[in-house]
Amino acid sequence: MNTSTSSSASRALPRIAVLATGGTIAGAAPDATNTSGYQAGVVGVGQLLAAVPSLAGVANVQAEQVASVDSKDMALALWTTLAQRINTLLAADDVDGVVVTHGTDTLEETAYLLHLTVKSDKPVVLTAAMRPSSALSADGPLNLLNAVIVAGSANAKGQGVLVAFNNRIHSARDVVKTSTYAVDAFQSPEIGALGWVQDGRVELQRSGVRPHTAATPFSADAAWPVVEVVTSYAGVSRVAVDALVAAGVQGIVVAGTGNGSIHATVQAALAEAAAKGVAIVRSSRVGSGHVMRNGAAADDALGFVTAGALNPYKARVLLMLALAAGHTTPVALQQVFDTY
Ligand code: ASP
């Protein structure tokens, strides 16, 4: 579906493509006080835009319904479709930026995937909502307006993929969902947001230093390698790791305890997997901080890679892209994790 709020009187406004994928921002509940028993992704992009009349004053908006999913069900094929569509749109002279509306549950994964695979310095901004569109004090409309404003801002150019949520602007690399219910559900642990957007003004206080977008060799076009996540915890067995190796996975990310430490039983299984050529990445389940190489485990001897500050789910995104790009040895993969 294509809709447009453009008019000849507003040619000087930035031209922003809004790509809708579903989520709570497009959710509807039976009544206005219900913020948990709703169906995600049922409201179309035309209706989302119509709820924000002030958009017409900040951008010429064209819109597409790319998908209508609850982001808990995000699929790798949809990631490929989304990345390709964004690259096509941004290659055109008549699009200045892209906004993606998304569910909050896997937003941080999609955002990082796009951060690494979009090949343009034009702004790409993801946004979402914690309350369905039918809710009293729904947060979606203002988040959408702010995302469009950020996508149209010259300040956002060259910053990689951004997430505009609850007035804050985060880097896709850093941002994670940290609350199951609060409208302030996204944070960038350790590092903090890049800036904010309020009352139509975009202020960025800093930039990320790691390469992104066109400065990476990654693409969402190739076949997706199979990479899964396992967790370490008290009394954990090696059943999951052994089953994944038997199933032929190419990579395993471990959500370790503390500094990515791994229960001895699971570590032994992972070392065997690494010896068979399965890529093993140590991350942490803690939620902030980073994992030190050769800290909690002898990575050099075990053939493991460390994820640094990436949480397990973002580490999985990078590992899939790196494997697809032909980086398969622990040394080559560590270089990737130390760079991007
Ligand atoms: N389950 C929803 C989704 O991720 C939650 C949300 O959007 O807030 O699509």
Side-chain angles (χ1 to χ4, degrees), residues 184-248:
D184 200 6
F186 284 86
Q187 291 181 29
S188 296
E190 291 289 323
I191 297 161
L194 298 182
W196 52 84
V197 49
Q198 187 179 8
D199 299 348
R201 294 184 56 155
V202 174
E203 193 160 331
L204 289 173
Q205 293 287 321
R206 62 182 186 85
S207 303
V209 295
R210 295 206 175 211
H212 51 71
T213 53
T216 87
F218 304 123
S219 152
D221 298 344
W224 291 98
V226 181
V227 175
E228 304 288 353
V229 177
V230 299
T231 306
S232 190
Y233 44 86
V236 63
S237 79
R238 57 180 288 162
V239 169
V241 172
D242 288 341
L244 291 173
V245 173

Side-chain angles (χ1 to χ4, degrees), residues 104-125:
T104 59
D105 289 347
T106 58
L107 181 142
E108 69 208 55
E109 296 168 56
T110 301
Y112 189 44
L113 177 276
L114 295 173
H115 190 64
L116 296 169
T117 59
V118 164
K119 301 301 175 197
S120 172
D121 68 350
K122 293 178 185 175
V124 176
V125 184

Side-chain angles (χ1 to χ4, degrees), residues 21-26 38 40-41 69-73 102-107 128-131 165 177 180 186:
T21 67
T24 294
I25 192 168
Y38 60 89
V69 295
D70 185 319
S71 79
K72 73 180 177 59
D73 299 322
H102 199 284
T104 59
D105 289 347
T106 58
L107 181 142
M130 289 299 285
R131 296 177 180 150
F165 198 90
K177 184 175 180 181
T180 57
F186 284 86

Side-chain angles (χ1 to χ4, degrees), residues 28-258:
D31 67 77
T33 56
N34 187 337
T35 59
S36 60
Y38 60 89
Q39 216 186 328
V42 293
V43 175
V45 67
Q47 218 176 312
L48 291 187
L49 295 176
V52 193
S54 9
L55 278 172
V58 298
N60 289 328
V61 174
Q62 56 172 288
E64 294 176 26
Q65 193 74 50
V66 175
S68 299
V69 295
D70 185 319
S71 79
K72 73 180 177 59
D73 299 322
M74 182 52 61
L76 301 181
L78 181 50
W79 273 355
T80 299
T81 303
L82 195 55
Q84 288 176 343
R85 186 65 189 133
I86 292 170
N87 279 321
T88 300
L89 284 164
L90 293 182
D93 288 339
D94 62 352
V95 176
D96 298 314
V98 166
V99 167
V100 178
T101 61
H102 199 284
T104 59
D105 289 347
T106 58
L107 181 142
E108 69 208 55
E109 296 168 56
T110 301
Y112 189 44
L113 177 276
L114 295 173
H115 190 64
L116 296 169
T117 59
V118 164
K119 301 301 175 197
S120 172
D121 68 350
K122 293 178 185 175
V124 176
V125 184
L126 274 72
T127 197
M130 289 299 285
R131 296 177 180 150
S133 65
S134 51
L136 204 59
S137 299
D139 52 332
L142 183 56
N143 283 344
L144 177 56
L145 177 66
N146 282 338
V148 170
I149 290 168
V150 175
S153 162
N155 296 346
K157 222 176 159 188
Q159 302 291 335
V161 172
L162 301 172
V163 172
F165 198 90
N166 202 36
N167 291 102
R168 293 199 177 85
I169 304 167
H170 298 268
S171 168
R173 188 178 201 275
D174 308 329
V175 72
V176 292
K177 184 175 180 181
T178 57
S179 174
T180 57
Y181 72 95
V183 288
D184 200 6
F186 284 86
Q187 291 181 29
S188 296
E190 291 289 323
I191 297 161
L194 298 182
W196 52 84
V197 49
Q198 187 179 8
D199 299 348
R201 294 184 56 155
V202 174
E203 193 160 331
L204 289 173
Q205 293 287 321
R206 62 182 186 85
S207 303
V209 295
R210 295 206 175 211
H212 51 71
T213 53
T216 87
F218 304 123
S219 152
D221 298 344
W224 291 98
V226 181
V227 175
E228 304 288 353
V229 177
V230 299
T231 306
S232 190
Y233 44 86
V236 63
S237 79
R238 57 180 288 162
V239 169
V241 172
D242 288 341
L244 291 173
V245 173
V249 297
Q250 285 135 286
I252 298 174
V253 176
V254 197
T257 39

